[in-house]
Amino acid sequence: MGAAMKERPILFSSEMVRAILDGRKTQTRRVVNPQPIADGLYYEYKDVPWLKTGDPFPFIGHLCPYGTSNDLLWVRETWNAVHFCPEYSEGYRTGYSDDWFESKDIPKNSNQQYWTPCYKADDHSDGLDIKWRPSIFMPRWASRIALAVTDVRVERLQEISEEDAIAEGLQKEVISVGYQNDSVTLRARPKFVYLWDKINSDRGYSFESNPWVWVISFKVV
């Protein structure tokens, strides 16, 4: 028998959530922590030798904190919970929650108002001044996106190709420049580099430093 499927949380920004929902994002890269240490002909990570080509021994599924093929990732994103009144045909949002929710059961109050999650990525706040909650605090019951892991590999960050950058949810853009409206194509890979550094440079993992990363491929289920 094969190993049982495991579920793990994973954080995404609102921009990347939109790319997932649009079907544009099927990969994510996360820093290998701690970084493998060079040792002769090998790198070593948690006492497991990796060939210097970047190919790991077949323990990768046991080492990657995001699991291996057929495991499930549930997405944590910026969110809150709002009142929902079912007596209205289309529902009616009356305000956001000041409380933390740790139970899978959504509470109901005496006015027949239910708590329902809303998400910053949707920008459907209905004019409410919603105090968004960080993705790290999203409980499992509020998550709306599940991802099935289809592949996990390890590589240096700078190995990312243009095709991989597109799979990361970035898009090529054609813009007009000059007086004659000449067109210039902005590639996806430089956009990835910019976004990566925006998130990871202050953590010591800039694109220039070329850290080892987990490359997780997935599909929405």
Side-chain angles (χ1 to χ4, degrees), residues 91-112:
Y92 180 72
R93 290 176 174 178
T94 62
Y96 63 83
S97 165
D98 287 323
D99 303 316
W100 297 108
F101 295 96
E102 297 179 357
S103 170
K104 189 175 181 180
D105 297 324
I106 301 177
K108 179 180 72 173
N109 67 15
S110 59
N111 294 325
Q112 295 295 305

Side-chain angles (χ1 to χ4, degrees), residues 11-30 75-77 121 144-145 147 165-171 191-192 195 199 218:
L11 275 64
F12 282 104
S13 68
S14 295
E15 181 181 1
M16 292 298 101
V17 167
R18 286 191 289 269
I20 291 172
L21 294 175
D22 290 344
R24 294 184 286 107
K25 185 172 178 65
T26 58
Q27 279 186 11
T28 186
R29 281 161 172 74
R30 306 294 165 116
V75 173
R76 279 177 159 163
E77 57 181 297
R144 58 173 171 166
I145 304 173
L147 308 173
I166 293 172
E168 281 271 0
L170 287 308
Q171 296 178 299
K191 293 182 181 180
F192 173 84
L195 288 176
I199 297 170
F218 55 81

